[in-house]
Amino acid sequence: MIKITLPDGSVKEFAAGITPMDVAKSISEGLARNVISASFNGTTIETVTPLTTDGSLVLFTWNDDEGKKAFWHSTSHVMAQALEEIFPGIKLTLGPAIANGFYYDVDFEAHKITDADFKKIEDRVLEISREKHEFKMRPVSKAEALEVYKDNVYKTELISNLEDGTITFCDHSTFTDLCRGGHIPNTGIIKAMKIMSVAGAYWRGDEKNKQLTRVYGISFPKQKDLTDYLELLEEAKRRDHRKLGKELELFAFSSKVGQGLPLWLPKGAALRDRLEQFLKRAQKKAGYEQVVTPHIGQKELYVTSGHYAKYGADSFQPINTPAEGEEFLLKPMNCPHHCEIFNVRPWSYKDLPKRYAEFGTVYRYEQSGELHGLTRVRGFTQDDAHIFCTPEQLDEEFKKVIDLVLYVFGSLGFENFTAQVSLRDQEDREKYIGSDENWEKAENAIINAAKDKGLNTVIEYGEAAFYGPKLDFMVKDALGRQWQLGTIQVDYNLPERFDLTYKGSDDQLHRPVMIHRAPFGSMERFIAILLEHTAGNFPLWLMPEQAIILSLSEKYEIYAKKVLDLLENHEIRALIDNRNETIGKKIRDAEMQKMPFMLIVGEEEERNGTVSIRRHGQEGKGNVTVTIEEFATIVTEEINKTLKVFTV
Ligand SMILES: [Zn+2]
Ligand SMILES: [Zn+2]
């Protein structure tokens, strides 16, 4: 008999040789129907792999990431089979699952795959799938594997790097592939499949190698899942921050200025500034002090901090001064500068914590192919701050940072998030810097703070950086996509490297603990995510313009100007559209600009001292006619719904 531990901690005994599928059946028929993949002692296995030792078993369904991975990887086998049938003589290489679907890298030789072939391939994949072929793993000797693939240089290369005795093939239908495993029980559950695109990809990602064709696909257990997915992609396209950023005139890129270096246009700069002011106000209340540091720093600074060893060779190279032979680096991180600010004078424990905040612009080299709108850039501004505190204060400081992050999320409409806590690897404590006692303290501080604040928490062992544990906020946007926003990181390393000290109550010198934190992360990436989350309909307090006054004709220009002045008195950001255009055209343009309120003014409004309000996205002229005072109240009330006052 063997003992199988399940994720809920329960232990069940089974005869040796039982399969994960059998275990599922012993729990419930319903579970057995849905299980599509499994892992045993952390290693992915097949649902039909016999278990012969004690161990921990996890069963996965489509709802688990691991389940999707097995589903998509299995589909890549079926697609490879279809491709081989349709394009005889092609050479298959690798076909892994990715975040959304899978791909297969193929050397098409004399063939060429085009969009026109997609339908035929998809149909064939579904035809094979309907035949319910089981995926069967089988061990092969290295010699046998090399013989099978003697005409395929790519597989030959892969096999050559494998050890004899560890090589396996996977068979289904008439098709065989070199594979490590991790498949669904049979092809029958693949009910929908689509080829998304084809692209060039160098063998093993090396541009010195031959360029292959990467065929991207995705598959689902229900046709409706595919329809929903395609609809989501369409919506994501409509909300693409690069498209919206252009339409709303927020930011731009110039090939003359350089790739990955965003230019903030007036409206975007105003939006950014509003976000900065918002956070600065809250930070001031939370006891932060603003500092400013230069965009470059001496190379030695980053050698001390360790950043040079880590990023130096792979990032922007040093800037040399002409006469003195000095070397400077573009600042990749603000932390070293803030450490030196802390070092300017001696501190007593009574002075701590010190909280230095800076909207600090940093520069990091990214390959041009990796650049993407505002989410992957070469220069960006972090809403950075570093807290220097005593180990005893860590608990309290952590809670305060969480409060600030939650305030930021609440004011910007992010409601769906989890806190991911990254701790040490339980097995291997050697690789971490700092004493065991301090780590214990810091890890408990984070876990307690997350619990105390009622956060939905996921704990990841072994995910901590070598210098300290951290908490990341994983936020789901309106399209259900997950983003990492807001990091709080404990650091024992930099205080050591920069020899930071404070005098304790015992009159001895001690090391402070450092916390790095950035609720937005970077202004660029945050605004990109916010744009896609809101589709450009930012919370009213943040909108570049909150209202536009549309005059029915030039006769009402003077009244429109008067309305604008009154709105300004109420600190409502507005502008007038007095172009010689029809009201219909003016409304359409204002809708395009996502203007929250359109205030239509004509004869009646002028006579009564009112405006007719039309809200963005709502049909019909003048849903309601109100006085300026009433309109100001509507705006204030709406703003107060999202933008609360930060209290500590
Ligand atoms: Zn496989
Ligand atoms: Zn930092």
Side-chain angles (χ1 to χ4, degrees), residues 335 384 386 516:
C335 348
D384 215 354
H386 296 95
H516 311 249

